[in-house]
């Protein structure tokens, strides 16, 4: 195949949207959630487009020279607040759409992104690849990326809650978040939220990853979350919390309102007493008022959470491998910094 790699341009919309729409992965999720591939593809383009002209964004289309058909699309952006917390320039590959001629197009697209990352001084890159997209998994492996997680996307419908939800027998009280809860939430997350891809990265310091979660909770409390609920025991001590997000763009454009459980954590000493269940039930009931579906992500080896979500009616919708890569400075190697 004769390939030409060009920076993406607004006039490429139609070709790239068609490329997104025929993406062969995530089929199970699209079917389960009733999402029309073309409308999703248009949404993905519309969300990416405002970033094309940012100087630090690297976005490329691979074209088949003779037919002028789009064969692949890749985009990478810096991640300012992750960079701040980890004290090194970090970025992420937000799109790596390479299924038409993967073995020919993939190396060209990825080579270009890595070159741009070096030029932009991005040292650490993250990328998510669909769990069935083996050609790109192997491509990333061959270019120094390491797998740090397999992320499971699970979901369920919300219109059948009353039948499925068994009443919680736990005496736990669940209430709306108050600003004085933040510190307790951050403490519980640092102690109990141990399954996540940052902790599996050989190059990222664990204390900084914990600081990232603390900062994310602060942002959630400051308005990034749709709502936060906390659980407290008889003495008024916070024993767990749940944060929820709303995918407003998906609801607006694709017509499917999907609520997101972002984070549900119970203090390690209080697990197994129905607190998680009480928090989840309350969050689902609240999300059900303006969402038809709910989804969440968890790690493949978080067996407890998977069992917990299965018991609450969640089913597996999609899987993604999470990859990280550190650009090693010449002569320095990529030594572990944990
Ligand atoms: C996952 C988590 C929220 C569950 O909270 P919890 O308060 O321990 O769970 P509950 O006691 O309410 O359990 C509710 C149901 O989940 C299921 N469940 C929970 N733990 C289970 C386990 N180890 N094996 C099988 N089923 C389990 C059971 O069906 C249980 O219902 P039952 O008691 O009637 O059998 C909690 O373990 C936690 O905070 N983990 C660390 C943070 C985390 O990983 N969060 C999720 C990642 S996004």
């Amino acid at each position: 195949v004769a390939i030409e790699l060009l920076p993406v341009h607004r006039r490429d919309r139609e070709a790239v949207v068609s490329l997104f729409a025929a993406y062969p992965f995530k089929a199970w999720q699209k079917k389960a959630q009733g999402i029309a591939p073309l409308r999703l593809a248009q949404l993905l383009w519309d969300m990416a487009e405002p970033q094309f002209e940012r100087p630090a964004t690297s976005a490329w289309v691979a074209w088949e020279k003779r037919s002028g058909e789009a064969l692949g699309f890749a985009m990478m952006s810096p991640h300012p607040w992750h960079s701040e917390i980890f004290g090194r320039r970090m970025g992420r590959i937000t799109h790596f759409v390479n299924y038409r001629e993967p073995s020919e197009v993939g190396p060209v697209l990825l080579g270009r992104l890595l070159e741009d990352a070096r030029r932009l001084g991005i040292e650490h890159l993250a990328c998510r690849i669909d769990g069935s997209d083996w050609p790109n998994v192997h491509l990333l492996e061959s270019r120094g990326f390491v797998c740090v997680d397999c992320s499971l996307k699970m979901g369920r419908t919300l219109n059948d809650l009353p039948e499925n939800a068994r009443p919680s027998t736990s005496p736990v009280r669940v209430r709306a978040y108050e600003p004085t809860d933040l510190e307790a939430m951050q403490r519980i997350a640092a102690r109990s939220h141990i399954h996540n891809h940052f902790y599996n990265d050989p190059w990222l310091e664990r204390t900084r990853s914990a600081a990232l979660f603390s900062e994310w909770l602060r942002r959630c409390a400051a308005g990034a979350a749709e709502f936060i609920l906390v659980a407290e025991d008889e003495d008024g001590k916070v024993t767990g919390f749940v944060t929820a997000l709303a995918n407003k763009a998906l609801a607006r454009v694709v017509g499917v309102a999907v609520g997101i459980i972002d984070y549900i954590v119970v203090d390690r000493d209080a697990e197994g007493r129905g607190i998680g269940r009480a928090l989840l039930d309350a969050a689902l009931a609240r999300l059900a008022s303006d969402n038809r579906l709910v989804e969440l992500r968890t790690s493949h080896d978080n067996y407890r959470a998977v069992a917990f979500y299965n018991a609450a009616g969640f089913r597996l919708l999609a899987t993604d491998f999470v990859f990280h890569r550190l650009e090693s400075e010449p002569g320095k190697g990529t030594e572990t910094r944990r």
Side-chain angles (χ1 to χ4, degrees):
V1 207
I3 302 162
E4 185 169 34
L5 198 63
L6 293 172
V8 67
H9 192 276
R10 285 170 202 272
R11 65 174 169 260
D12 303 335
R13 184 176 206 278
E14 204 183 317
V16 175
V17 165
S18 305
L19 184 72
F20 285 171
Y23 184 67
F25 307 113
K26 302 276 182 288
W28 186 259
Q29 177 181 351
K30 284 178 231 169
K31 183 166 171 267
Q33 296 188 329
I35 295 173
L38 184 61
R39 293 180 79 182
L40 177 64
Q42 288 162 340
L43 171 67
L44 291 174
W45 171 276
D46 292 341
M47 284 165 64
E49 199 190 61
Q51 300 179 52
F52 294 163
E53 263 130 53
R54 292 199 188 144
T57 297
S58 159
W60 297 88
V61 184
W63 300 93
E64 213 278 303
K65 262 192 184 158
R66 272 182 300 274
S67 66
E69 193 195 351
L71 295 176
F73 172 74
M75 183 161 126
M76 175 188 70
S77 311
H79 207 315
W81 76 278
H82 283 191
S83 306
E84 203 175 298
I85 288 188
F86 287 105
R88 53 173 49 170
R89 286 201 66 154
M90 301 184 71
R92 58 187 159 171
I93 297 175
T94 51
H95 296 76
F96 200 77
V97 184
N98 169 44
Y99 62 86
R100 290 228 157 117
E101 295 286 348
S103 59
E104 309 234 8
V105 173
V108 179
L109 272 176
L110 187 59
R112 188 69 215 211
L113 292 189
L114 293 180
E115 212 175 284
D116 285 351
R118 275 190 291 276
R119 187 174 48 78
L120 295 163
I122 295 176
E123 281 180 90
H124 186 279
L125 263 182
C127 180
R128 234 166 28 200
I129 295 287
D130 186 273
S132 304
D133 188 357
W134 293 104
N136 290 310
V137 165
H138 296 144
L139 173 67
L140 263 66
E141 288 170 343
S142 74
R143 299 298 191 280
F145 283 83
V146 299
C147 184
V148 290
D149 193 17
C150 181
S151 165
L152 309 183
K153 182 174 272 191
M154 302 180 78
R156 60 157 296 153
T157 49
L158 287 168
N159 50 9
D160 53 352
L161 278 185
E163 289 152 36
N164 265 351
R166 289 170 293 137
S168 167
T169 49
S170 153
V172 59
R173 185 168 100 93
V174 175
R175 59 163 174 80
Y177 165 83
E178 288 162 18
T180 47
D181 298 324
L182 181 60
E183 235 179 87
M185 285 166 47
Q186 288 170 323
R187 206 170 39 242
I188 291 171
R191 250 165 69 82
S192 307
H193 183 231
I194 51 166
H195 288 89
N196 67 79
H197 57 272
F198 290 100
Y199 289 159
N200 302 334
D201 182 314
W203 305 299
L204 298 180
E205 287 165 48
R206 208 177 161 97
T207 50
R208 295 204 190 200
S209 299
L212 181 80
F213 291 118
S214 270
E215 171 59 13
W216 174 240
L217 284 176
R218 194 193 62 72
R219 287 174 184 229
C220 282
E226 189 70 4
F227 63 81
I228 303 176
L229 302 175
V230 301
E232 63 179 19
D233 64 12
E234 295 85 342
D235 306 323
K237 184 173 161 242
V238 174
T239 50
F241 64 90
V242 56
T243 62
L245 312 174
N247 194 336
K248 298 216 169 80
L250 197 65
R252 200 178 59 246
V253 180
V254 184
V256 181
V258 183
I260 299 168
I261 299 286
D262 182 48
Y263 219 173
I264 177 159
V265 188
V266 171
D267 192 23
R268 200 191 293 164
D269 297 336
E271 275 182 326
R273 291 188 220 152
I275 297 171
R277 175 70 191 273
L279 282 164
L280 187 60
D281 284 352
L284 295 182
R286 175 127 175 217
L287 285 170
S289 61
D290 40 28
N291 295 280
R292 190 160 63 76
L293 303 167
V294 58
E295 63 179 37
L296 54 85
R297 281 186 178 278
T298 193
S299 295
H300 69 292
D301 60 343
N302 194 350
Y303 295 97
R304 190 179 175 92
V306 171
F308 168 71
Y309 294 134
N310 274 331
F314 283 78
R315 294 294 171 259
L316 185 62
L317 298 178
T319 60
D320 293 280
F321 290 113
V322 184
F323 284 95
H324 283 182
R325 181 182 191 275
L326 186 74
E327 180 69 40
S328 58
E329 288 165 42
K332 264 198 155 179
T334 49
E335 79 283 9
T336 296
R337 290 175 43 123
R338 291 176 76 169

